[in-house]
PDB file of all heavy atoms in Angstrom:
ATOM      1  N   ARG A  25      -3.161   2.846  -1.710  1.00  0.00           N
ATOM      2  CA  ARG A  25      -2.587   1.507  -1.517  1.00  0.00           C
ATOM      3  C   ARG A  25      -2.758   1.059  -0.062  1.00  0.00           C
ATOM      4  O   ARG A  25      -2.988  -0.119   0.215  1.00  0.00           O
ATOM      5  CB  ARG A  25      -1.103   1.574  -1.895  1.00  0.00           C
ATOM      6  CG  ARG A  25      -0.894   1.633  -3.429  1.00  0.00           C
ATOM      7  CD  ARG A  25       0.593   1.710  -3.733  1.00  0.00           C
ATOM      8  NE  ARG A  25       0.777   1.836  -5.207  1.00  0.00           N
ATOM      9  CZ  ARG A  25       1.959   1.955  -5.792  1.00  0.00           C
ATOM     10  NH1 ARG A  25       3.053   1.925  -5.014  1.00  0.00           N
ATOM     11  NH2 ARG A  25       2.067   2.031  -7.081  1.00  0.00           N
ATOM     12  N   ARG A  26      -2.526   2.000   0.888  1.00  0.00           N
ATOM     13  CA  ARG A  26      -2.690   1.608   2.317  1.00  0.00           C
ATOM     14  C   ARG A  26      -4.128   1.217   2.626  1.00  0.00           C
ATOM     15  O   ARG A  26      -4.387   0.276   3.382  1.00  0.00           O
ATOM     16  CB  ARG A  26      -2.295   2.802   3.207  1.00  0.00           C
ATOM     17  CG  ARG A  26      -0.781   2.997   3.227  1.00  0.00           C
ATOM     18  CD  ARG A  26      -0.419   4.120   4.168  1.00  0.00           C
ATOM     19  NE  ARG A  26      -0.649   3.705   5.536  1.00  0.00           N
ATOM     20  CZ  ARG A  26      -0.462   4.482   6.591  1.00  0.00           C
ATOM     21  NH1 ARG A  26      -0.059   5.747   6.433  1.00  0.00           N
ATOM     22  NH2 ARG A  26      -0.764   4.035   7.816  1.00  0.00           N
ATOM     23  N   LEU A  27      -5.064   1.955   1.905  1.00  0.00           N
ATOM     24  CA  LEU A  27      -6.455   1.593   2.113  1.00  0.00           C
ATOM     25  C   LEU A  27      -6.725   0.175   1.552  1.00  0.00           C
ATOM     26  O   LEU A  27      -7.417  -0.620   2.187  1.00  0.00           O
ATOM     27  CB  LEU A  27      -7.362   2.615   1.428  1.00  0.00           C
ATOM     28  CG  LEU A  27      -8.875   2.398   1.580  1.00  0.00           C
ATOM     29  CD1 LEU A  27      -9.299   2.434   3.047  1.00  0.00           C
ATOM     30  CD2 LEU A  27      -9.619   3.506   0.778  1.00  0.00           C
ATOM     31  N   ASP A  28      -6.142  -0.104   0.398  1.00  0.00           N
ATOM     32  CA  ASP A  28      -6.294  -1.393  -0.181  1.00  0.00           C
ATOM     33  C   ASP A  28      -5.651  -2.503   0.712  1.00  0.00           C
ATOM     34  O   ASP A  28      -6.187  -3.599   0.951  1.00  0.00           O
ATOM     35  CB  ASP A  28      -5.652  -1.473  -1.589  1.00  0.00           C
ATOM     36  CG  ASP A  28      -6.442  -0.583  -2.535  1.00  0.00           C
ATOM     37  OD1 ASP A  28      -7.642  -0.301  -2.296  1.00  0.00           O
ATOM     38  OD2 ASP A  28      -5.809  -0.143  -3.578  1.00  0.00           O
ATOM     39  N   ALA A  29      -4.448  -2.146   1.297  1.00  0.00           N
ATOM     40  CA  ALA A  29      -3.747  -3.113   2.154  1.00  0.00           C
ATOM     41  C   ALA A  29      -4.560  -3.373   3.395  1.00  0.00           C
ATOM     42  O   ALA A  29      -4.642  -4.508   3.877  1.00  0.00           O
ATOM     43  CB  ALA A  29      -2.363  -2.546   2.506  1.00  0.00           C
ATOM     44  N   PHE A  30      -5.106  -2.273   3.989  1.00  0.00           N
ATOM     45  CA  PHE A  30      -5.915  -2.456   5.142  1.00  0.00           C
ATOM     46  C   PHE A  30      -7.157  -3.347   4.905  1.00  0.00           C
ATOM     47  O   PHE A  30      -7.515  -4.229   5.727  1.00  0.00           O
ATOM     48  CB  PHE A  30      -6.347  -1.074   5.713  1.00  0.00           C
ATOM     49  CG  PHE A  30      -7.080  -1.175   6.976  1.00  0.00           C
ATOM     50  CD1 PHE A  30      -6.472  -1.490   8.235  1.00  0.00           C
ATOM     51  CD2 PHE A  30      -8.498  -0.942   6.985  1.00  0.00           C
ATOM     52  CE1 PHE A  30      -7.226  -1.566   9.386  1.00  0.00           C
ATOM     53  CE2 PHE A  30      -9.203  -0.974   8.178  1.00  0.00           C
ATOM     54  CZ  PHE A  30      -8.576  -1.302   9.374  1.00  0.00           C
ATOM     55  N   SER A  31      -7.751  -3.095   3.779  1.00  0.00           N
ATOM     56  CA  SER A  31      -8.923  -3.916   3.428  1.00  0.00           C
ATOM     57  C   SER A  31      -8.513  -5.366   3.197  1.00  0.00           C
ATOM     58  O   SER A  31      -9.222  -6.296   3.672  1.00  0.00           O
ATOM     59  CB  SER A  31      -9.625  -3.347   2.162  1.00  0.00           C
ATOM     60  OG  SER A  31      -8.731  -3.399   1.111  1.00  0.00           O
ATOM     61  N   HIS A  32      -7.340  -5.563   2.531  1.00  0.00           N
ATOM     62  CA  HIS A  32      -6.863  -6.948   2.313  1.00  0.00           C
ATOM     63  C   HIS A  32      -6.521  -7.645   3.640  1.00  0.00           C
ATOM     64  O   HIS A  32      -6.724  -8.842   3.870  1.00  0.00           O
ATOM     65  CB  HIS A  32      -5.635  -6.951   1.414  1.00  0.00           C
ATOM     66  CG  HIS A  32      -5.996  -6.717  -0.023  1.00  0.00           C
ATOM     67  ND1 HIS A  32      -6.800  -7.607  -0.729  1.00  0.00           N
ATOM     68  CD2 HIS A  32      -5.673  -5.730  -0.891  1.00  0.00           C
ATOM     69  CE1 HIS A  32      -6.950  -7.154  -1.953  1.00  0.00           C
ATOM     70  NE2 HIS A  32      -6.306  -5.988  -2.082  1.00  0.00           N
ATOM     71  N   LYS A  33      -5.933  -6.850   4.612  1.00  0.00           N
ATOM     72  CA  LYS A  33      -5.554  -7.415   5.902  1.00  0.00           C
ATOM     73  C   LYS A  33      -6.803  -7.886   6.660  1.00  0.00           C
ATOM     74  O   LYS A  33      -6.822  -9.000   7.264  1.00  0.00           O
ATOM     75  CB  LYS A  33      -4.788  -6.359   6.686  1.00  0.00           C
ATOM     76  CG  LYS A  33      -4.218  -6.909   8.011  1.00  0.00           C
ATOM     77  CD  LYS A  33      -3.413  -5.838   8.678  1.00  0.00           C
ATOM     78  CE  LYS A  33      -2.820  -6.424   9.982  1.00  0.00           C
ATOM     79  NZ  LYS A  33      -2.031  -5.398  10.702  1.00  0.00           N
ATOM     80  N   GLN A  34      -7.864  -7.065   6.623  1.00  0.00           N
ATOM     81  CA  GLN A  34      -9.114  -7.515   7.291  1.00  0.00           C
ATOM     82  C   GLN A  34      -9.609  -8.814   6.659  1.00  0.00           C
ATOM     83  O   GLN A  34     -10.055  -9.716   7.348  1.00  0.00           O
ATOM     84  CB  GLN A  34     -10.129  -6.409   7.218  1.00  0.00           C
ATOM     85  CG  GLN A  34      -9.852  -5.205   8.084  1.00  0.00           C
ATOM     86  CD  GLN A  34     -10.901  -4.112   7.979  1.00  0.00           C
ATOM     87  OE1 GLN A  34     -11.814  -4.237   7.097  1.00  0.00           O
ATOM     88  NE2 GLN A  34     -10.816  -3.128   8.858  1.00  0.00           N
ATOM     89  N   LEU A  35      -9.602  -8.809   5.329  1.00  0.00           N
ATOM     90  CA  LEU A  35     -10.035 -10.037   4.635  1.00  0.00           C
ATOM     91  C   LEU A  35      -9.167 -11.269   5.009  1.00  0.00           C
ATOM     92  O   LEU A  35      -9.702 -12.370   5.236  1.00  0.00           O
ATOM     93  CB  LEU A  35     -10.009  -9.823   3.117  1.00  0.00           C
ATOM     94  CG  LEU A  35     -11.036  -8.852   2.579  1.00  0.00           C
ATOM     95  CD1 LEU A  35     -10.817  -8.597   1.110  1.00  0.00           C
ATOM     96  CD2 LEU A  35     -12.460  -9.396   2.774  1.00  0.00           C
ATOM     97  N   SER A  36      -7.840 -11.018   5.135  1.00  0.00           N
ATOM     98  CA  SER A  36      -6.968 -12.176   5.504  1.00  0.00           C
ATOM     99  C   SER A  36      -7.234 -12.683   6.920  1.00  0.00           C
ATOM    100  O   SER A  36      -7.191 -13.863   7.222  1.00  0.00           O
ATOM    101  CB  SER A  36      -5.507 -11.742   5.369  1.00  0.00           C
ATOM    102  OG  SER A  36      -5.189 -10.685   6.228  1.00  0.00           O
ATOM    103  N   ASP A  37      -7.471 -11.653   7.816  1.00  0.00           N
ATOM    104  CA  ASP A  37      -7.773 -12.084   9.195  1.00  0.00           C
ATOM    105  C   ASP A  37      -9.050 -12.916   9.278  1.00  0.00           C
ATOM    106  O   ASP A  37      -9.167 -13.958   9.970  1.00  0.00           O
ATOM    107  CB  ASP A  37      -7.911 -10.844  10.078  1.00  0.00           C
ATOM    108  CG  ASP A  37      -6.584 -10.154  10.271  1.00  0.00           C
ATOM    109  OD1 ASP A  37      -5.515 -10.822  10.131  1.00  0.00           O
ATOM    110  OD2 ASP A  37      -6.540  -8.921  10.579  1.00  0.00           O
ATOM    111  N   GLN A  38     -10.027 -12.446   8.499  1.00  0.00           N
ATOM    112  CA  GLN A  38     -11.305 -13.145   8.480  1.00  0.00           C
ATOM    113  C   GLN A  38     -11.109 -14.559   7.908  1.00  0.00           C
ATOM    114  O   GLN A  38     -11.651 -15.567   8.388  1.00  0.00           O
ATOM    115  CB  GLN A  38     -12.362 -12.423   7.716  1.00  0.00           C
ATOM    116  CG  GLN A  38     -12.798 -11.104   8.344  1.00  0.00           C
ATOM    117  CD  GLN A  38     -13.786 -10.331   7.505  1.00  0.00           C
ATOM    118  OE1 GLN A  38     -14.101 -10.776   6.403  1.00  0.00           O
ATOM    119  NE2 GLN A  38     -14.248  -9.169   8.054  1.00  0.00           N
ATOM    120  N   THR A  39     -10.285 -14.671   6.833  1.00  0.00           N
ATOM    121  CA  THR A  39     -10.067 -15.964   6.199  1.00  0.00           C
ATOM    122  C   THR A  39      -9.283 -16.898   7.127  1.00  0.00           C
ATOM    123  O   THR A  39      -9.519 -18.135   7.136  1.00  0.00           O
ATOM    124  CB  THR A  39      -9.285 -15.752   4.908  1.00  0.00           C
ATOM    125  OG1 THR A  39      -8.085 -14.985   5.158  1.00  0.00           O
ATOM    126  CG2 THR A  39     -10.176 -15.033   3.896  1.00  0.00           C
ATOM    127  N   GLU A  40      -8.299 -16.332   7.902  1.00  0.00           N
ATOM    128  CA  GLU A  40      -7.553 -17.191   8.841  1.00  0.00           C
ATOM    129  C   GLU A  40      -8.456 -17.743   9.941  1.00  0.00           C
ATOM    130  O   GLU A  40      -8.391 -18.931  10.320  1.00  0.00           O
ATOM    131  CB  GLU A  40      -6.400 -16.418   9.472  1.00  0.00           C
ATOM    132  CG  GLU A  40      -5.295 -16.116   8.492  1.00  0.00           C
ATOM    133  CD  GLU A  40      -4.162 -15.268   9.102  1.00  0.00           C
ATOM    134  OE1 GLU A  40      -4.345 -14.856  10.288  1.00  0.00           O
ATOM    135  OE2 GLU A  40      -3.148 -15.034   8.408  1.00  0.00           O
ATOM    136  N   ALA A  41      -9.339 -16.907  10.419  1.00  0.00           N
ATOM    137  CA  ALA A  41     -10.223 -17.345  11.465  1.00  0.00           C
ATOM    138  C   ALA A  41     -11.180 -18.415  10.929  1.00  0.00           C
ATOM    139  O   ALA A  41     -11.431 -19.449  11.575  1.00  0.00           O
ATOM    140  CB  ALA A  41     -11.064 -16.170  12.033  1.00  0.00           C
ATOM    141  N   HIS A  42     -11.628 -18.133   9.726  1.00  0.00           N
ATOM    142  CA  HIS A  42     -12.508 -19.119   9.132  1.00  0.00           C
ATOM    143  C   HIS A  42     -11.725 -20.389   8.810  1.00  0.00           C
ATOM    144  O   HIS A  42     -12.317 -21.493   8.929  1.00  0.00           O
ATOM    145  CB  HIS A  42     -13.099 -18.489   7.809  1.00  0.00           C
ATOM    146  CG  HIS A  42     -14.038 -19.401   7.154  1.00  0.00           C
ATOM    147  ND1 HIS A  42     -15.258 -19.726   7.717  1.00  0.00           N
ATOM    148  CD2 HIS A  42     -14.006 -20.085   5.958  1.00  0.00           C
ATOM    149  CE1 HIS A  42     -15.952 -20.510   6.922  1.00  0.00           C
ATOM    150  NE2 HIS A  42     -15.176 -20.788   5.792  1.00  0.00           N
ATOM    151  N   ALA A  43     -10.403 -20.287   8.471  1.00  0.00           N
ATOM    152  CA  ALA A  43      -9.634 -21.499   8.168  1.00  0.00           C
ATOM    153  C   ALA A  43      -9.370 -22.301   9.440  1.00  0.00           C
ATOM    154  O   ALA A  43      -9.392 -23.555   9.406  1.00  0.00           O
ATOM    155  CB  ALA A  43      -8.288 -21.064   7.561  1.00  0.00           C
ATOM    156  N   GLU A  44      -9.139 -21.605  10.513  1.00  0.00           N
ATOM    157  CA  GLU A  44      -8.932 -22.330  11.783  1.00  0.00           C
ATOM    158  C   GLU A  44     -10.176 -23.092  12.167  1.00  0.00           C
ATOM    159  O   GLU A  44     -10.119 -24.189  12.650  1.00  0.00           O
ATOM    160  CB  GLU A  44      -8.506 -21.347  12.935  1.00  0.00           C
ATOM    161  CG  GLU A  44      -7.103 -20.769  12.688  1.00  0.00           C
ATOM    162  CD  GLU A  44      -6.772 -19.799  13.757  1.00  0.00           C
ATOM    163  OE1 GLU A  44      -7.653 -19.488  14.629  1.00  0.00           O
ATOM    164  OE2 GLU A  44      -5.602 -19.268  13.811  1.00  0.00           O
ATOM    165  N   GLU A  45     -11.291 -22.462  11.968  1.00  0.00           N
ATOM    166  CA  GLU A  45     -12.557 -23.170  12.262  1.00  0.00           C
ATOM    167  C   GLU A  45     -12.704 -24.371  11.379  1.00  0.00           C
ATOM    168  O   GLU A  45     -13.167 -25.468  11.783  1.00  0.00           O
ATOM    169  CB  GLU A  45     -13.756 -22.250  12.100  1.00  0.00           C
ATOM    170  CG  GLU A  45     -13.799 -21.118  13.161  1.00  0.00           C
ATOM    171  CD  GLU A  45     -14.917 -20.179  12.920  1.00  0.00           C
ATOM    172  OE1 GLU A  45     -15.672 -20.344  11.902  1.00  0.00           O
ATOM    173  OE2 GLU A  45     -15.133 -19.198  13.730  1.00  0.00           O
ATOM    174  N   LEU A  46     -12.328 -24.210  10.066  1.00  0.00           N
ATOM    175  CA  LEU A  46     -12.497 -25.282   9.148  1.00  0.00           C
ATOM    176  C   LEU A  46     -11.467 -26.386   9.360  1.00  0.00           C
ATOM    177  O   LEU A  46     -11.723 -27.576   9.118  1.00  0.00           O
ATOM    178  CB  LEU A  46     -12.353 -24.780   7.707  1.00  0.00           C
ATOM    179  CG  LEU A  46     -13.526 -23.876   7.213  1.00  0.00           C
ATOM    180  CD1 LEU A  46     -13.175 -23.348   5.843  1.00  0.00           C
ATOM    181  CD2 LEU A  46     -14.844 -24.664   7.142  1.00  0.00           C
ATOM    182  N   MET A  47     -10.265 -25.991   9.911  1.00  0.00           N
ATOM    183  CA  MET A  47      -9.196 -26.996  10.137  1.00  0.00           C
ATOM    184  C   MET A  47      -9.657 -27.995  11.239  1.00  0.00           C
ATOM    185  O   MET A  47      -9.298 -29.158  11.228  1.00  0.00           O
ATOM    186  CB  MET A  47      -7.888 -26.296  10.602  1.00  0.00           C
ATOM    187  CG  MET A  47      -7.150 -25.634   9.424  1.00  0.00           C
ATOM    188  SD  MET A  47      -5.760 -24.752   9.989  1.00  0.00           S
ATOM    189  CE  MET A  47      -4.769 -26.172  10.568  1.00  0.00           C
ATOM    190  N   SER A  48     -10.383 -27.501  12.118  1.00  0.00           N
ATOM    191  CA  SER A  48     -10.822 -28.411  13.177  1.00  0.00           C
ATOM    192  C   SER A  48     -11.950 -29.372  12.635  1.00  0.00           C
ATOM    193  O   SER A  48     -12.170 -30.412  13.208  1.00  0.00           O
ATOM    194  CB  SER A  48     -11.370 -27.619  14.356  1.00  0.00           C
ATOM    195  OG  SER A  48     -12.461 -26.829  13.975  1.00  0.00           O
ATOM    196  N   THR A  49     -12.565 -28.968  11.609  1.00  0.00           N
ATOM    197  CA  THR A  49     -13.690 -29.737  11.160  1.00  0.00           C
ATOM    198  C   THR A  49     -13.420 -30.415   9.804  1.00  0.00           C
ATOM    199  O   THR A  49     -13.988 -31.477   9.546  1.00  0.00           O
ATOM    200  CB  THR A  49     -14.896 -28.779  10.924  1.00  0.00           C
ATOM    201  OG1 THR A  49     -14.584 -27.743  10.066  1.00  0.00           O
ATOM    202  CG2 THR A  49     -15.372 -28.206  12.241  1.00  0.00           C
ATOM    203  N   ASP A  50     -12.586 -29.814   8.967  1.00  0.00           N
ATOM    204  CA  ASP A  50     -12.400 -30.367   7.611  1.00  0.00           C
ATOM    205  C   ASP A  50     -11.267 -31.377   7.621  1.00  0.00           C
ATOM    206  O   ASP A  50     -10.537 -31.535   8.635  1.00  0.00           O
ATOM    207  CB  ASP A  50     -12.087 -29.249   6.600  1.00  0.00           C
ATOM    208  CG  ASP A  50     -13.312 -28.391   6.381  1.00  0.00           C
ATOM    209  OD1 ASP A  50     -14.413 -28.832   6.665  1.00  0.00           O
ATOM    210  OD2 ASP A  50     -13.085 -27.204   5.917  1.00  0.00           O
ATOM    211  N   THR A  51     -11.083 -31.992   6.527  1.00  0.00           N
ATOM    212  CA  THR A  51     -10.041 -33.016   6.328  1.00  0.00           C
ATOM    213  C   THR A  51      -8.790 -32.411   5.742  1.00  0.00           C
ATOM    214  O   THR A  51      -8.702 -31.208   5.556  1.00  0.00           O
ATOM    215  CB  THR A  51     -10.606 -34.107   5.385  1.00  0.00           C
ATOM    216  OG1 THR A  51     -10.879 -33.448   4.143  1.00  0.00           O
ATOM    217  CG2 THR A  51     -11.760 -34.820   5.919  1.00  0.00           C
ATOM    218  N   ALA A  52      -7.818 -33.382   5.512  1.00  0.00           N
ATOM    219  CA  ALA A  52      -6.486 -32.968   4.996  1.00  0.00           C
ATOM    220  C   ALA A  52      -6.611 -32.249   3.641  1.00  0.00           C
ATOM    221  O   ALA A  52      -5.891 -31.280   3.450  1.00  0.00           O
ATOM    222  CB  ALA A  52      -5.620 -34.178   4.865  1.00  0.00           C
ATOM    223  N   PRO A  53      -7.411 -32.728   2.701  1.00  0.00           N
ATOM    224  CA  PRO A  53      -7.474 -31.927   1.451  1.00  0.00           C
ATOM    225  C   PRO A  53      -7.875 -30.502   1.641  1.00  0.00           C
ATOM    226  O   PRO A  53      -7.421 -29.582   0.972  1.00  0.00           O
ATOM    227  CB  PRO A  53      -8.580 -32.681   0.632  1.00  0.00           C
ATOM    228  CG  PRO A  53      -8.508 -34.062   1.145  1.00  0.00           C
ATOM    229  CD  PRO A  53      -8.236 -34.001   2.570  1.00  0.00           C
ATOM    230  N   GLN A  54      -8.643 -30.328   2.593  1.00  0.00           N
ATOM    231  CA  GLN A  54      -9.045 -28.933   2.899  1.00  0.00           C
ATOM    232  C   GLN A  54      -7.848 -28.116   3.415  1.00  0.00           C
ATOM    233  O   GLN A  54      -7.678 -26.931   3.154  1.00  0.00           O
ATOM    234  CB  GLN A  54     -10.170 -28.884   3.882  1.00  0.00           C
ATOM    235  CG  GLN A  54     -11.496 -29.445   3.303  1.00  0.00           C
ATOM    236  CD  GLN A  54     -12.585 -29.488   4.344  1.00  0.00           C
ATOM    237  OE1 GLN A  54     -12.337 -29.207   5.546  1.00  0.00           O
ATOM    238  NE2 GLN A  54     -13.818 -29.828   3.913  1.00  0.00           N
ATOM    239  N   LEU A  55      -6.981 -28.845   4.248  1.00  0.00           N
ATOM    240  CA  LEU A  55      -5.774 -28.194   4.723  1.00  0.00           C
ATOM    241  C   LEU A  55      -4.859 -27.799   3.585  1.00  0.00           C
ATOM    242  O   LEU A  55      -4.223 -26.746   3.621  1.00  0.00           O
ATOM    243  CB  LEU A  55      -5.072 -29.170   5.681  1.00  0.00           C
ATOM    244  CG  LEU A  55      -5.778 -29.424   7.023  1.00  0.00           C
ATOM    245  CD1 LEU A  55      -5.033 -30.526   7.806  1.00  0.00           C
ATOM    246  CD2 LEU A  55      -5.832 -28.197   7.864  1.00  0.00           C
TER     247      LEU A  55
END
């Protein structure tokens, strides 16, 4: 489970970074 959680955390970090990049560029529907 910890291995799964660690893998999910890395994925979430990557998605947040990607979201921040998209927030600056995308519109409200994307938000």
Side-chain angles (χ1 to χ4, degrees):
R25 289 179 181 179
R26 289 183 66 184
L27 182 61
D28 294 335
F30 182 73
S31 61
H32 285 297
K33 187 176 181 181
Q34 288 180 353
L35 290 173
S36 63
D37 292 337
Q38 291 177 1
T39 55
E40 286 178 357
H42 184 65
E44 290 177 356
E45 291 177 357
L46 292 174
M47 284 175 67
S48 61
T49 57
D50 292 339
T51 59
Q54 292 178 351
L55 290 172

